[in-house]
């Protein structure tokens, strides 16, 4: 527990750095959010008024401190483009991104584990080679292109699954409808981690198989299926770590996939906010993703040391 | 007397033989890296594809009669296999093969140049961090930690959005993404070398920092750093094409595979097959670099 607390303390300077990066990046951006609000033929007076309302006329350090003190209290201001509190936008978006992310993580974890176990148990045979080829293909394929190909195939040609959005018209809250919408984006997003996870499962399994306790289990007369259970439990740790790290990839990849499927999540929100130069939304979005990623790494660390106490010593 | 002279001679010979053995052993492992790569069919295949891509990229203007930026709008969205346009035409009637040949230039550049640039900066930072003790290291590494706080793609998108679209800005944002991980790998490698005896010996003998870094350090960290850096080219290609796909990288009308997929997105319902070729090209090129990197890691014996 003290270790976890210590990790959180260590993360504070990093989080501070993230706020600086989020603030600085947005203010180097070319173009002004005002251009999206004020018609080009508006008088200089009107422009100045709008700039004043959004506090964009204050010196940058003052703007940063104001933003930071509000952000610490969980207030990210109003979206310039949509006139809605940023919190409200982000809360909705992160929920939708989590639905997609969890579906993708579930897909990649299950598929990766099954393929990795198959490859590890059949080392050197054709199935092993198939899985490693698939893994390399996974890390080489652009997720957005895979998404396009799947839309062409399953939505346009075969008409099995919807091609965009999260709900059909008037079907909000229908779980089956949501599932139908999430299948293609989740597979497109989760395909790259499948390769990484299956590779890790295989390596980890092969290392465990060599250990003495496996021989002991065999000598004890356990059946193959029972031994496999022991193997998996012992091979799980590095796999958990990799899965945790891949969640970060999913967070990044979701920006692309959400754009293609018009998925109303964080990525889609950020992408449109970048187009509109909607400063409060972009800042809060970057801050949120960075913070989530840092927290996720801490949790992965913590779970590791909880599952395997040996790690604490190093 | 004679015997003792003979003895020392013998010892000297022994010593010489030892040294010769060692040198031979060294050259053997060195040669075996090349030999291992040479005897690896996958490395050959990947290298063949990369060389082919470089060749077609360089000679693109001589390989096609069409222009990559202007087309005949009357011939828009022709299917694959049309005479004169083997891969069809895009939404502005431009020849797809031409666009793909010219697009390969951007993709290769955006795969290799950012990684090379990040390697120089990140490598230098890593050497400084690893070599000059704890205080320097923690300052550099804490600063780089901030870049670790974002997934690579998010960081690339954020920086590109801040700098605005355009090829030149992509060449700024991509290296920034890779600097932190390269610096970390380099610093770790330096620390491992630092504990070895020959390193201490060089220090005691009074060699300057620059001498030690140049002659003892860089050569010895080359293998692990090179192996790691080789994995980044495939990633760089994918991230760069993603940026173009989002409209943050290459701007139209320049041909680039990711940007082609972006502009073809709206044409999917009319002519779905046009989206195949650019994606396959990104996939195969990233795959070739990833396969080659795998072979290099195997040959260097530094599987991570």
């Amino acid at each position: 527990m003290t270790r976890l607390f210590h990790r959180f303390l260590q993360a504070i300077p990093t989080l501070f750095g993230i706020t600086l990066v989020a603030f600085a990046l947005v203010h180097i951006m070319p173009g002004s959010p005002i251009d999206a609000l004020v018609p080009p033929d508006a008088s200089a007076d009107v422009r100045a008024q709008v700039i004043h309302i959004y506090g964009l006329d204050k010196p940058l350090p003052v703007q940063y401190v104001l933003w930071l003190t509000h952000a610490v209290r969980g207030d990210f201001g109003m979206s310039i483009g949509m006139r809605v509190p940023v919190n409200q936008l982000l809360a909705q978006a992160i929920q939708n991104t989590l639905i997609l992310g969890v579906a993708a993580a579930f897909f990649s974890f299950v598929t990766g584990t099954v393929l990795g176990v198959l490859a590890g148990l059949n080392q050197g045979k054709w199935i092993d080679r198939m899985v490693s080829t698939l893994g390399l293909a996974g890390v080489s394929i652009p997720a957005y292109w895979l998404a396009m190909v799947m839309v062409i195939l399953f939505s346009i040609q075969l008409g099995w699954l919807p091609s965009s959005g999260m709900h059909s018209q008037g079907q909000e809250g229908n779980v089956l409808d949501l599932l139908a919408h999430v299948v293609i984006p989740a597979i497109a997003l989760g395909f790259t981690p499948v390769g990484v996870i299956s590779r890790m499962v295989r390596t980890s399994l092969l290392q465990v198989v060599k250990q003495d306790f496996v021989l002991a289990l065999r000598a004890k007369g356990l059946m193959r299926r029972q031994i496999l259970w022991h193997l998996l439990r012992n091979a799980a740790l590095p796999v958990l770590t990799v899965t945790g790290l891949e969640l970060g990839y999913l967070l990044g990849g979701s920006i692309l996939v959400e754009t293609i499927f018009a998925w109303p999540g964080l990525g889609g929100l950020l992408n449109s906010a970048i187009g509109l130069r909607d400063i409060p939304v972009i800042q809060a979005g970057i801050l949120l993703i960075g913070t989530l990623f840092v927290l996720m790494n801490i949790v992965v660390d913590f779970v590791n040391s909880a599952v395997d106490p040996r790690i604490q010593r190093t | 007397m004679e015997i003792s002279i003979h003895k020392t001679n013998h010892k000297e010979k022994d010593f010489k033989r030892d040294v010769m053995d060692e040198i031979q052993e060294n050259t053997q492992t060195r040669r075996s890296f090349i030999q291992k790569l040479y005897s690896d069919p996958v490395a050959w295949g990947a290298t063949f594809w990369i060389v082919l891509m470089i060749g077609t990229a360089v000679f693109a203007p001589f390989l096609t009669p069409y222009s990559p930026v202007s087309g005949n709008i009357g011939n828009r969205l022709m299917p694959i296999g049309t005479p004169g346009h083997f891969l069809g035409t895009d939404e502005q009637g431009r020849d797809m093969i031409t666009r793909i040949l010219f697009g390969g230039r951007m993709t290769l550049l955006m795969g290799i140049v950012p990684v090379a640039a990040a390697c120089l900066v990140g490598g230098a930072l890593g050497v400084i961090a690893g070599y000059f003790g704890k205080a320097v290291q923690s300052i550099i590494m804490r600063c780089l930690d901030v870049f670790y706080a974002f997934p690579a793609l998010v960081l690339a998108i954020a920086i590109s959005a801040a700098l605005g679209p355009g090829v030149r800005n992509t060449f700024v944002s991509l290296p920034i993404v890779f600097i932190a991980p390269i610096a970390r790998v380099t610093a770790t490698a330096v620390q491992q070398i630092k504990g070895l005896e020959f390193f201490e010996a060089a220090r005691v003998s009074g060699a300057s920092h620059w001498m030690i870094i140049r002659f003892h350090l860089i050569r010895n960290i080359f293998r692990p750093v090179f192996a790691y850096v080789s994995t980044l080219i495939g990633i760089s290609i994918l991230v760069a094409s993603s940026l173009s796909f989002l409209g943050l990288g290459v701007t139209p009308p320049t041909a680039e595979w990711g940007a082609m997929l972006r502009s073809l997105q709206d044409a999917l319902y009319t002519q779905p097959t046009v989206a195949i070729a650019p994606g396959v090209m990104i996939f195969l090129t990233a795959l070739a670099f990833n396969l080659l990197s795998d072979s290099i890691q195997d040959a260097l014996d530094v599987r991570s």
Side-chain angles (χ1 to χ4, degrees), chain A residues 10 13-14 17-18 21-22 24-26 28-30 133 136-142 144-145 148-149 151-152 156-157 163 199 248-249 251-256 259-260 270-271 274 277 286-287 289-291 293-294 297, chain B residues 142 145-151 153-155 157-159 161-165 234 238 241-243 245-246 248 257-258 261-262 264-265 268-269 272-273 275-280 282-284 286-288 290-291 294 303:
Chain A
Q10 268 185 334
T14 314
I18 296 174
V21 170
L25 280 181
V26 170
I28 335 174
M29 272 193 188
T133 313
L136 261 176
V139 291
S140 309
I141 208 163
Y144 57 93
W145 180 64
M148 284 168 90
V149 170
V151 167
I152 295 174
I156 301 178
Q157 303 286 346
S163 64
R199 212 185 235 201
Y249 163 82
L251 211 54
S254 68
I255 297 188
L256 289 166
T259 312
I260 295 169
L270 260 185
N271 200 30
I274 288 172
R277 302 273 170 261
I286 295 177
L287 184 60
I289 291 181
T291 312
F293 196 46
V294 169
N297 285 342
Chain B
R142 286 295 87 77
D145 267 353
V146 175
F147 292 99
Y148 262 110
F150 300 99
L153 189 58
V154 175
L155 190 60
I157 289 173
I159 299 173
L163 298 175
L238 286 183
S241 80
S242 306
L243 288 179
F245 179 75
L246 286 173
L248 293 170
W257 297 337
L261 285 173
R262 174 184 173 81
L264 285 168
Q265 221 186 339
L268 281 188
Y269 290 88
T273 49
I276 295 173
V280 169
I282 299 175
F283 171 59
L284 286 179
L287 184 68
N290 285 337
L291 285 171
D294 258 27
R303 269 255 170 241

Side-chain angles (χ1 to χ4, degrees), chain A residues 61-250:
Chain A
V62 176
Q63 282 191 42
Y64 174 68
V65 172
L66 272 178
W67 173 68
L68 189 63
T69 46
H70 281 94
V72 169
R73 276 177 273 154
D75 173 18
F76 292 100
M78 295 279 273
S79 154
I80 295 182
M82 281 165 273
R83 302 266 181 113
V84 183
V86 175
N87 281 349
Q88 198 182 320
L89 284 175
L90 283 183
Q92 189 58 45
I94 193 81
Q95 198 183 330
N96 296 340
T97 294
L98 280 181
I99 293 175
L100 176 59
V102 168
F106 179 75
F107 165 74
S108 51
F109 183 73
V110 171
T111 322
T113 310
V114 170
L115 289 178
V117 169
L118 280 177
L121 295 182
N122 297 290
Q123 193 191 358
K125 293 186 190 150
W126 65 269
I127 195 161
D128 185 19
R129 250 171 280 154
M130 279 267 291
V131 170
S132 69
T133 313
L134 194 75
L136 261 176
V139 291
S140 309
I141 208 163
Y144 57 93
W145 180 64
L146 184 64
M148 284 168 90
V149 170
M150 284 172 66
V151 167
I152 295 174
L153 206 64
F154 295 112
S155 304
I156 301 178
Q157 303 286 346
L158 297 169
W160 289 352
L161 292 164
S163 64
S164 81
M166 219 174 120
H167 297 285
S168 308
Q169 203 101 54
Q171 295 280 326
E172 285 83 2
N174 183 343
V175 178
L176 276 179
D177 183 60
L178 178 64
L179 273 181
H181 279 83
V182 89
V183 171
I184 302 184
I187 293 179
L189 184 57
F191 194 71
T192 299
V194 166
V196 183
I197 292 173
S198 68
R199 212 185 235 201
M200 200 68 233
V201 171
R202 178 184 179 275
T203 319
S204 175
L205 201 62
L206 287 179
Q207 271 167 2
V208 175
V209 166
K210 281 189 212 139
Q211 287 176 18
D212 289 339
F213 82 90
V214 181
L215 200 65
L217 289 177
R218 234 175 242 160
K220 213 172 116 186
L222 286 190
M223 283 190 296
R224 268 189 75 126
R225 194 157 20 104
Q226 289 165 310
I227 295 180
L228 185 63
W229 171 240
H230 284 273
L231 287 180
L232 284 181
R233 262 184 49 186
N234 279 282
L237 188 62
V239 179
L240 272 183
T241 313
V242 165
T243 310
L245 294 178
E246 286 304 312
L247 290 179
Y249 163 82
L250 292 182

